[in-house]
Amino acid sequence: MGKTLLQKVWDLHTVRRLATGQTQLFIGLHLVHEVTSPQAFDMLRSSGTRVLFPNRTFATVDHIVPTLDQRRPFLDVLAEAMISSLERNCQEYGIPLYNIDSDSQGIVHVIGPELGLTQPGLTIACGDSHTSTHGAFGAVAFGIGTSQVRDVLASQCLALEPVKVRRIKVTGSLAPGVYSKDVILEIIRRLGVKGGVGYAYEYAGDTIERMSMEERMTICNMSIEGGARVGYINPDATTFRYLEGRPLAPLGDAFDRARAWWTSMASDPDAQFDDEVVLKAAEIEPTVTWGINPGQSVAVSERIPYPAQAHDAESAGITEALEFMDFRSGQPIAGTRIDVAFIGSCTNSRLSDLREAARIVRGHHVAPHVKALVVPGSQRVRKAAEREGLDRIFVEAGFEWRGAGCSMCLAMNPDRLEGRQICASSSNRNFKGRQGSPTGRTLLMSPAMVAAAAIAGEVTDVRKVLEPVGTTR
Ligand code: SF4
């Protein structure tokens, strides 16, 4: 019987089965950032342990970095202490660091693929929930906590429960104005935020196969929001084209050998799945969250649901979300006035995201009551966007053009909501307080939808403002 990619990668990286029923799994690549690593390094130091594979460990700074003025020392004393701590730790343990002054700095899940570190068939770990992003390349990538960061630094291994595999097939064409962000929001809406618990999600089907690597990363990024342990897409010609020539990808003959091996890691045609779900792309509309988890969403043409429409387990959550958001059941989501528009985060801050958003805002101006910012995912994205003149389009439209970092995705930096502000956000979490204000409200949507909302000053259907590709003004 054939095997899934998950089974192949898992088997190849298994060190041994533990008495607990867990597997001791070797981790091929460990990505580190400034927030979840200081305590891990302290634990390592106090036990006199070295980093076992510094050459499989790469660090960057993203969560706490200011995006307005990135000069050192940072004005925020705590942020400065965190970055200094990472610098000391990387120097002491011989770990490469893509620091704030590096052309390669950026959000950890943006720079890994950009540099060619993220490759098919790898096991990858990082102290951030959205490590599943790297599954877009056919890697098996785990978000881990601080004590597991210590474990990987010390042993390059993790003790993990086995997971089942659910194949999620998306078939058919997406309509203009519908993006990969809408696809993953729809998957989470249908299967629930806990629907993936105990599963790896394998995304498949012709809709997924036609997606660029950047679109695939958006899909895999939010696997964790659907409860899945990991999410991945089988590597194919699109994957290999993306990787060829990247600074840290194999070169020449080594690349050809790697490509042959990467190809062999894809799920076999006769692989068995523990579950399968099929979605039709044509049924997916631009999607917006209205509540306090990423599964609480509606198509932009729909109305906010009534608690009675959900089964019992979910109706209490709807009531709580309505109270927090100060929304009413039956109210259309379109027309919801916004205060802030944020284009950024490891979900949607790559060049194609910025191009699409710029296409929407070009020749328009942000509504007077809206604060709008674009935060590229990395220095490379920022420079590439500037070479294309995207920064000028955004600035002329009234957006702020910022330096690379996590910014308002989780607001561990100066970019934060204030009070009850409502933010149209291209990020991945709309939990209470996620964007810095305990009472702030987040509406997740695609970058194009954020751009349209910034201009209109309210949630609006991007399909109404979208012009055909290639149209000039
Ligand atoms: S952008 Fe948000 S989700 Fe992504 S790495 Fe940063 S804080 Fe985590």
Side-chain angles (χ1 to χ4, degrees), residues 303-346:
R303 292 169 184 268
I304 294 171
Y306 290 86
Q309 289 175 304
H311 45 74
D312 289 352
E314 280 180 20
S315 61
I318 292 180
T319 304
E320 182 191 354
L322 288 169
E323 277 173 19
F324 180 80
M325 298 297 286
D326 199 17
F327 289 162
R328 282 174 293 102
S329 293
Q331 169 185 340
I333 193 70
T336 304
R337 184 180 160 100
I338 66 158
D339 306 293
V340 178
F342 168 59
I343 297 174
S345 88
C346 58

Short mmCIF file of all heavy atoms in Angstrom, two decimals, residues 303-346:
data_model
loop_
_atom_site.label_atom_id
_atom_site.label_comp_id
_atom_site.label_asym_id
_atom_site.label_seq_id
_atom_site.Cartn_x
_atom_site.Cartn_y
_atom_site.Cartn_z
N ARG A 303 -24.72 37.36 6.19
CA ARG A 303 -24.99 38.06 7.45
C ARG A 303 -24.41 37.27 8.61
O ARG A 303 -24.21 36.06 8.50
CB ARG A 303 -26.50 38.22 7.63
CG ARG A 303 -27.09 39.17 6.62
CD ARG A 303 -28.60 39.16 6.58
NE ARG A 303 -29.06 40.04 5.52
CZ ARG A 303 -29.36 41.32 5.68
NH1 ARG A 303 -29.31 41.87 6.90
NH2 ARG A 303 -29.74 42.07 4.68
N ILE A 304 -24.18 37.97 9.70
CA ILE A 304 -23.63 37.33 10.91
C ILE A 304 -24.68 36.35 11.45
O ILE A 304 -25.87 36.68 11.52
CB ILE A 304 -23.27 38.42 11.94
CG1 ILE A 304 -22.10 39.26 11.37
CG2 ILE A 304 -22.90 37.81 13.29
CD1 ILE A 304 -21.75 40.49 12.17
N PRO A 305 -24.25 35.13 11.81
CA PRO A 305 -25.24 34.08 12.14
C PRO A 305 -25.92 34.30 13.50
O PRO A 305 -25.45 35.06 14.34
CB PRO A 305 -24.39 32.81 12.17
CG PRO A 305 -23.01 33.27 12.45
CD PRO A 305 -22.88 34.64 11.85
N TYR A 306 -27.01 33.57 13.67
CA TYR A 306 -27.73 33.50 14.94
C TYR A 306 -27.19 32.32 15.74
O TYR A 306 -26.90 31.26 15.15
CB TYR A 306 -29.22 33.32 14.70
CG TYR A 306 -29.89 34.54 14.12
CD1 TYR A 306 -29.90 34.75 12.74
CD2 TYR A 306 -30.52 35.47 14.95
CE1 TYR A 306 -30.50 35.87 12.20
CE2 TYR A 306 -31.12 36.60 14.41
CZ TYR A 306 -31.11 36.80 13.04
OH TYR A 306 -31.69 37.92 12.51
N PRO A 307 -27.11 32.43 17.07
CA PRO A 307 -26.65 31.28 17.86
C PRO A 307 -27.48 30.04 17.58
O PRO A 307 -26.95 28.92 17.55
CB PRO A 307 -26.82 31.76 19.31
CG PRO A 307 -26.71 33.26 19.23
CD PRO A 307 -27.31 33.62 17.90
N ALA A 308 -28.78 30.21 17.32
CA ALA A 308 -29.65 29.05 17.11
C ALA A 308 -29.31 28.29 15.83
O ALA A 308 -29.69 27.13 15.66
CB ALA A 308 -31.10 29.51 17.04
N GLN A 309 -28.56 28.95 14.91
CA GLN A 309 -28.18 28.28 13.66
C GLN A 309 -27.05 27.27 13.87
O GLN A 309 -26.79 26.44 13.02
CB GLN A 309 -27.71 29.32 12.62
CG GLN A 309 -28.85 30.17 12.07
CD GLN A 309 -28.31 31.26 11.15
OE1 GLN A 309 -27.47 32.06 11.54
NE2 GLN A 309 -28.80 31.28 9.92
N ALA A 310 -26.36 27.38 15.01
CA ALA A 310 -25.23 26.49 15.28
C ALA A 310 -25.68 25.35 16.17
O ALA A 310 -26.72 25.44 16.83
CB ALA A 310 -24.11 27.27 15.97
N HIS A 311 -24.90 24.24 16.17
CA HIS A 311 -25.25 23.22 17.15
C HIS A 311 -24.79 23.69 18.53
O HIS A 311 -23.99 24.62 18.67
CB HIS A 311 -24.75 21.82 16.77
CG HIS A 311 -23.35 21.75 16.28
ND1 HIS A 311 -22.27 21.86 17.11
CD2 HIS A 311 -22.87 21.59 15.02
CE1 HIS A 311 -21.17 21.75 16.39
NE2 HIS A 311 -21.50 21.60 15.14
N ASP A 312 -25.32 23.02 19.59
CA ASP A 312 -25.20 23.51 20.95
C ASP A 312 -23.77 23.91 21.33
O ASP A 312 -23.55 24.95 21.94
CB ASP A 312 -25.69 22.44 21.94
CG ASP A 312 -27.19 22.30 21.86
OD1 ASP A 312 -27.81 23.14 21.18
OD2 ASP A 312 -27.72 21.35 22.46
N ALA A 313 -22.80 23.08 20.93
CA ALA A 313 -21.42 23.33 21.36
C ALA A 313 -20.92 24.68 20.85
O ALA A 313 -20.07 25.31 21.48
CB ALA A 313 -20.52 22.22 20.84
N GLU A 314 -21.46 25.13 19.73
CA GLU A 314 -20.95 26.37 19.14
C GLU A 314 -21.79 27.59 19.48
O GLU A 314 -21.33 28.71 19.37
CB GLU A 314 -20.88 26.23 17.61
CG GLU A 314 -19.66 25.47 17.16
CD GLU A 314 -19.61 25.33 15.65
OE1 GLU A 314 -20.26 26.12 14.96
OE2 GLU A 314 -18.92 24.43 15.18
N SER A 315 -23.04 27.39 19.89
CA SER A 315 -23.92 28.55 20.05
C SER A 315 -23.45 29.46 21.19
O SER A 315 -23.53 30.68 21.08
CB SER A 315 -25.37 28.11 20.26
OG SER A 315 -25.47 27.34 21.42
N ALA A 316 -22.88 28.87 22.25
CA ALA A 316 -22.36 29.71 23.35
C ALA A 316 -21.21 30.57 22.85
O ALA A 316 -21.08 31.74 23.21
CB ALA A 316 -21.90 28.82 24.51
N GLY A 317 -20.37 29.96 21.98
CA GLY A 317 -19.24 30.70 21.42
C GLY A 317 -19.72 31.86 20.56
O GLY A 317 -19.12 32.94 20.56
N ILE A 318 -20.81 31.65 19.83
CA ILE A 318 -21.36 32.72 18.99
C ILE A 318 -21.87 33.86 19.88
O ILE A 318 -21.60 35.04 19.61
CB ILE A 318 -22.49 32.19 18.08
CG1 ILE A 318 -21.89 31.22 17.05
CG2 ILE A 318 -23.23 33.32 17.40
CD1 ILE A 318 -22.90 30.63 16.09
N THR A 319 -22.56 33.50 20.95
CA THR A 319 -23.08 34.53 21.86
C THR A 319 -21.95 35.35 22.46
O THR A 319 -21.99 36.59 22.50
CB THR A 319 -23.91 33.86 22.99
OG1 THR A 319 -24.93 33.08 22.37
CG2 THR A 319 -24.52 34.89 23.92
N GLU A 320 -20.91 34.66 22.91
CA GLU A 320 -19.75 35.36 23.49
C GLU A 320 -19.10 36.28 22.46
O GLU A 320 -18.74 37.42 22.75
CB GLU A 320 -18.74 34.32 23.99
CG GLU A 320 -17.52 34.96 24.64
CD GLU A 320 -16.39 33.95 24.89
OE1 GLU A 320 -16.60 32.74 24.66
OE2 GLU A 320 -15.31 34.41 25.32
N ALA A 321 -18.96 35.76 21.22
CA ALA A 321 -18.31 36.56 20.17
C ALA A 321 -19.16 37.79 19.82
O ALA A 321 -18.63 38.88 19.64
CB ALA A 321 -18.10 35.69 18.93
N LEU A 322 -20.47 37.61 19.74
CA LEU A 322 -21.34 38.74 19.42
C LEU A 322 -21.20 39.83 20.48
O LEU A 322 -21.12 41.02 20.15
CB LEU A 322 -22.80 38.28 19.33
CG LEU A 322 -23.18 37.44 18.11
CD1 LEU A 322 -24.58 36.84 18.30
CD2 LEU A 322 -23.13 38.27 16.84
N GLU A 323 -21.18 39.42 21.75
CA GLU A 323 -21.05 40.39 22.84
C GLU A 323 -19.73 41.14 22.74
O GLU A 323 -19.67 42.36 22.84
CB GLU A 323 -21.15 39.67 24.20
CG GLU A 323 -22.59 39.45 24.62
CD GLU A 323 -22.68 38.60 25.87
OE1 GLU A 323 -21.67 38.47 26.60
OE2 GLU A 323 -23.77 38.05 26.08
N PHE A 324 -18.65 40.38 22.53
CA PHE A 324 -17.33 41.01 22.49
C PHE A 324 -17.21 41.96 21.30
O PHE A 324 -16.69 43.07 21.42
CB PHE A 324 -16.22 39.95 22.43
CG PHE A 324 -14.84 40.55 22.40
CD1 PHE A 324 -14.24 40.99 23.57
CD2 PHE A 324 -14.16 40.73 21.20
CE1 PHE A 324 -12.98 41.58 23.55
CE2 PHE A 324 -12.91 41.32 21.16
CZ PHE A 324 -12.31 41.74 22.34
N MET A 325 -17.69 41.50 20.16
CA MET A 325 -17.53 42.29 18.93
C MET A 325 -18.56 43.42 18.86
O MET A 325 -18.45 44.33 18.04
CB MET A 325 -17.67 41.40 17.70
CG MET A 325 -16.62 40.31 17.59
SD MET A 325 -14.93 40.93 17.42
CE MET A 325 -14.91 41.53 15.73
N ASP A 326 -19.60 43.34 19.71
CA ASP A 326 -20.71 44.30 19.67
C ASP A 326 -21.41 44.26 18.31
O ASP A 326 -21.73 45.30 17.72
CB ASP A 326 -20.21 45.72 19.99
CG ASP A 326 -21.35 46.65 20.40
OD1 ASP A 326 -22.43 46.13 20.75
OD2 ASP A 326 -21.16 47.88 20.35
N PHE A 327 -21.59 43.04 17.79
CA PHE A 327 -22.31 42.82 16.54
C PHE A 327 -23.66 42.17 16.85
O PHE A 327 -23.83 41.57 17.90
CB PHE A 327 -21.53 41.89 15.60
CG PHE A 327 -20.27 42.50 15.01
CD1 PHE A 327 -19.29 41.69 14.46
CD2 PHE A 327 -20.07 43.87 14.97
CE1 PHE A 327 -18.14 42.23 13.91
CE2 PHE A 327 -18.92 44.43 14.42
CZ PHE A 327 -17.95 43.60 13.88
N ARG A 328 -24.58 42.27 15.92
CA ARG A 328 -25.90 41.63 16.06
C ARG A 328 -26.04 40.51 15.05
O ARG A 328 -25.60 40.65 13.90
CB ARG A 328 -27.01 42.64 15.80
CG ARG A 328 -27.31 43.60 16.93
CD ARG A 328 -28.33 44.64 16.48
NE ARG A 328 -27.81 45.56 15.46
CZ ARG A 328 -28.07 45.48 14.17
NH1 ARG A 328 -28.88 44.56 13.70
NH2 ARG A 328 -27.55 46.34 13.30
N SER A 329 -26.68 39.44 15.45
CA SER A 329 -27.01 38.38 14.50
C SER A 329 -27.91 38.96 13.41
O SER A 329 -28.78 39.81 13.71
CB SER A 329 -27.76 37.25 15.20
OG SER A 329 -26.91 36.60 16.10
N GLY A 330 -27.71 38.54 12.19
CA GLY A 330 -28.53 39.04 11.08
C GLY A 330 -27.97 40.29 10.44
O GLY A 330 -28.43 40.70 9.37
N GLN A 331 -26.97 40.88 11.08
CA GLN A 331 -26.35 42.11 10.54
C GLN A 331 -25.41 41.71 9.39
O GLN A 331 -24.65 40.75 9.52
CB GLN A 331 -25.56 42.74 11.70
CG GLN A 331 -24.63 43.86 11.40
CD GLN A 331 -23.84 44.26 12.67
OE1 GLN A 331 -24.23 43.97 13.80
NE2 GLN A 331 -22.71 44.90 12.47
N PRO A 332 -25.46 42.42 8.24
CA PRO A 332 -24.49 42.08 7.18
C PRO A 332 -23.08 42.44 7.63
O PRO A 332 -22.90 43.46 8.31
CB PRO A 332 -24.92 42.94 6.00
CG PRO A 332 -25.98 43.86 6.48
CD PRO A 332 -26.34 43.52 7.89
N ILE A 333 -22.11 41.62 7.25
CA ILE A 333 -20.71 41.96 7.61
C ILE A 333 -20.24 43.11 6.72
O ILE A 333 -19.47 43.98 7.15
CB ILE A 333 -19.78 40.74 7.51
CG1 ILE A 333 -18.44 41.02 8.17
CG2 ILE A 333 -19.57 40.29 6.06
CD1 ILE A 333 -18.46 41.12 9.65
N ALA A 334 -20.69 43.14 5.45
CA ALA A 334 -20.33 44.25 4.57
C ALA A 334 -20.91 45.53 5.17
O ALA A 334 -22.03 45.53 5.68
CB ALA A 334 -20.87 44.01 3.17
N GLY A 335 -20.13 46.58 5.13
CA GLY A 335 -20.60 47.84 5.70
C GLY A 335 -20.12 48.06 7.12
O GLY A 335 -20.34 49.14 7.68
N THR A 336 -19.44 47.07 7.72
CA THR A 336 -18.90 47.26 9.07
C THR A 336 -17.77 48.29 9.01
O THR A 336 -16.79 48.11 8.29
CB THR A 336 -18.35 45.92 9.62
OG1 THR A 336 -19.38 44.94 9.57
CG2 THR A 336 -17.83 46.09 11.04
N ARG A 337 -17.95 49.36 9.75
CA ARG A 337 -16.95 50.44 9.73
C ARG A 337 -15.66 49.97 10.39
O ARG A 337 -15.68 49.33 11.44
CB ARG A 337 -17.53 51.64 10.49
CG ARG A 337 -16.65 52.89 10.47
CD ARG A 337 -17.37 53.98 11.27
NE ARG A 337 -16.46 55.02 11.72
CZ ARG A 337 -16.34 56.19 11.13
NH1 ARG A 337 -17.05 56.49 10.07
NH2 ARG A 337 -15.50 57.10 11.61
N ILE A 338 -14.52 50.26 9.76
CA ILE A 338 -13.23 49.88 10.34
C ILE A 338 -12.45 51.13 10.76
O ILE A 338 -12.71 52.24 10.26
CB ILE A 338 -12.38 49.04 9.36
CG1 ILE A 338 -11.98 49.87 8.12
CG2 ILE A 338 -13.11 47.76 8.94
CD1 ILE A 338 -10.78 49.34 7.39
N ASP A 339 -11.51 50.94 11.68
CA ASP A 339 -10.66 52.04 12.14
C ASP A 339 -9.22 51.88 11.63
O ASP A 339 -8.50 52.85 11.47
CB ASP A 339 -10.62 52.07 13.67
CG ASP A 339 -12.01 52.13 14.26
OD1 ASP A 339 -12.68 53.16 14.06
OD2 ASP A 339 -12.45 51.13 14.88
N VAL A 340 -8.81 50.61 11.47
CA VAL A 340 -7.42 50.31 11.11
C VAL A 340 -7.43 49.27 9.99
O VAL A 340 -8.29 48.37 9.97
CB VAL A 340 -6.64 49.76 12.34
CG1 VAL A 340 -5.21 49.38 11.98
CG2 VAL A 340 -6.65 50.77 13.48
N ALA A 341 -6.48 49.41 9.06
CA ALA A 341 -6.30 48.39 8.01
C ALA A 341 -4.85 47.93 8.08
O ALA A 341 -3.93 48.76 7.97
CB ALA A 341 -6.61 48.98 6.64
N PHE A 342 -4.65 46.63 8.27
CA PHE A 342 -3.29 46.09 8.42
C PHE A 342 -3.03 45.03 7.35
O PHE A 342 -3.68 43.99 7.31
CB PHE A 342 -3.14 45.47 9.82
CG PHE A 342 -1.88 44.65 9.99
CD1 PHE A 342 -0.62 45.22 9.81
CD2 PHE A 342 -1.95 43.32 10.35
CE1 PHE A 342 0.53 44.46 9.96
CE2 PHE A 342 -0.80 42.54 10.51
CZ PHE A 342 0.45 43.12 10.31
N ILE A 343 -2.05 45.32 6.49
CA ILE A 343 -1.59 44.33 5.51
C ILE A 343 -0.22 43.87 5.95
O ILE A 343 0.74 44.65 5.95
CB ILE A 343 -1.55 44.92 4.09
CG1 ILE A 343 -2.97 45.33 3.65
CG2 ILE A 343 -0.95 43.92 3.10
CD1 ILE A 343 -3.03 46.07 2.33
N GLY A 344 -0.12 42.62 6.38
CA GLY A 344 1.15 42.10 6.87
C GLY A 344 0.96 40.72 7.46
O GLY A 344 -0.06 40.07 7.21
N SER A 345 1.94 40.25 8.22
CA SER A 345 1.99 38.96 8.92
C SER A 345 2.51 37.85 8.03
O SER A 345 2.55 37.97 6.80
CB SER A 345 0.63 38.54 9.49
OG SER A 345 -0.11 37.83 8.53
N CYS A 346 2.87 36.73 8.67
CA CYS A 346 3.43 35.58 7.92
C CYS A 346 2.38 34.91 7.05
O CYS A 346 2.70 34.07 6.23
CB CYS A 346 4.07 34.58 8.87
SG CYS A 346 2.94 33.93 10.11
#
